[in-house]
Amino acid sequence: MRAYQIASYDTPPELVDIDLPPPATGEVRLAIKACGLNFADLLLARGRYQERPEPPVTLGMEMAGRVEALGSGVTTLAVGDRVAVYNGQGGLAEAANVPAERCVRLPDAMSASHAAAFQVAYGTSHVALEHKARLQAGERLVVTGAAGGVGLTAVEIGALMGAEVIAIARGAEKLDIARKAGARHLIDSESPEIREQIKALGGADVVYEAVGGDLFTQCFRATNPDGRILAIGFASGDVPQIPANHLLVKNLSVMGLYWGGYLAFRPEVLTGSLARLFEWYSEGRLHPQISHQLPLEQAGEALDLLRQRKSTGKVVVTM
């Protein structure tokens, strides 16, 4: 089968032919139909992600497809089931062996592309806003990178939860996408005095921050007393330093979130969140945004769209 993988962390990924063994105990073989890309895939390819598996590594953290074989001991799934799975790797391939316990059955109406674009982006935002920040209806939510893969879902879920959403993104086109997802106020990330613009709108009660650098600092300084700041990622490459004395004076809370990390110590947080999200999708309340969909042969171009920040919402690779 074909797989897009790195042979080492010092060499670029390439499309290669590999053999896939039968699924092991507790695993299923998934015929992959679509793989959703994430900024973390870029970090993993360079060995800069939180997890650093031993190469060779097939890229692609989340995928959707159809079960085509069962390993011994698997009783919760059947051949032919349509599922999505977050596996951390293996999605940019024609097939993968994945743990059955991580597989989530798909609603009948959900396409493989929507499913592949769904788990990490919507899961991250829902766990961040509901489980971590305890976002309440009527609170003011600031979202940075608001037209990106996770940022756009934070806008959509925040609005669904009743928050007043302030979206920060680069340029009129991206801001309009955030507006259509539910943002009430729009701020261009290239404009000056972002802190002052947020303060003029009443300040932030919750900040969903995925960019880092100066933008984090501006939002931090615009957060109201007793506010909560969610550190989601650092797309700018600049990890901010947080002045602890300001946390004390303003009674602020800064919370980090690594969505995949819950698999190791509280997987029920993710399964409960995904159950709610699939329910909202089935009710027509969530609308995944896929700006680009490319075939496996163009996996490198698909990753470049993320690297160059040319995408909005998600980029999906199809098999």
Side-chain angles (χ1 to χ4, degrees), residues 163-174:
E164 179 183 338
V165 181
I166 301 171
I168 302 178
R170 182 182 299 172
E173 182 181 351
K174 290 186 175 181

Side-chain angles (χ1 to χ4, degrees), residues 107-192:
D108 291 340
M110 180 177 272
S111 68
S113 293
H114 273 189
F118 197 83
Q119 289 187 99
V120 172
Y122 279 101
T124 295
S125 294
H126 184 248
V127 171
L129 296 176
E130 184 171 88
H131 176 71
K132 297 286 284 188
R134 308 291 183 188
L135 179 69
Q136 302 297 307
E139 288 191 308
R140 198 167 295 108
L141 167 66
V142 171
V143 179
T144 67
V150 293
L152 194 61
T153 63
V155 171
E156 190 175 11
I157 290 174
L160 187 58
M161 293 175 68
E164 179 183 338
V165 181
I166 301 171
I168 302 178
R170 182 182 299 172
E173 182 181 351
K174 290 186 175 181
L175 287 170
D176 189 56
I177 290 171
R179 178 189 61 78
K180 291 175 180 176
R184 194 178 306 181
H185 309 286
L186 308 174
I187 297 176
D188 195 312
S189 61
E190 296 294 305
S191 65

Side-chain angles (χ1 to χ4, degrees), residues 210-258:
V211 177
D214 182 64
L215 191 52
F216 180 99
T217 302
Q218 295 286 328
C219 293
F220 182 93
R221 297 176 66 197
T223 302
N224 294 328
D226 208 27
R228 291 90 75 202
I229 302 170
L230 293 153
I232 303 299
F234 314 105
S236 67
D238 186 351
V239 179
Q241 302 302 303
I242 300 168
N245 59 322
H246 291 193
L247 298 179
L248 184 152
V249 172
K250 293 179 68 176
N251 288 290
L252 300 179
S253 300
V254 178
M255 297 168 277
L257 179 74
Y258 167 34

Side-chain angles (χ1 to χ4, degrees), residues 62-107:
E62 60 180 329
M63 63 203 84
R66 193 176 296 275
V67 175
E68 62 177 9
L70 307 177
S72 63
V74 175
T75 59
T76 56
L77 295 170
V79 171
D81 284 349
R82 297 176 63 248
V83 300
V85 59
Y86 173 82
N87 196 48
Q89 59 178 289
L92 286 175
E94 293 172 321
N97 294 326
V98 298
E101 64 182 8
R102 292 190 183 183
C103 294
V104 182
R105 283 192 181 86
L106 302 182

Side-chain angles (χ1 to χ4, degrees), residues 147-149 152 173-174 177 289-292 309-315:
L152 194 61
E173 182 181 351
K174 290 186 175 181
I177 290 171
Q289 167 75 20
I290 298 173
S291 64
H292 298 83
R309 300 189 190 182
K310 292 183 177 180
S311 60
T312 57
K314 293 284 283 191
V315 175

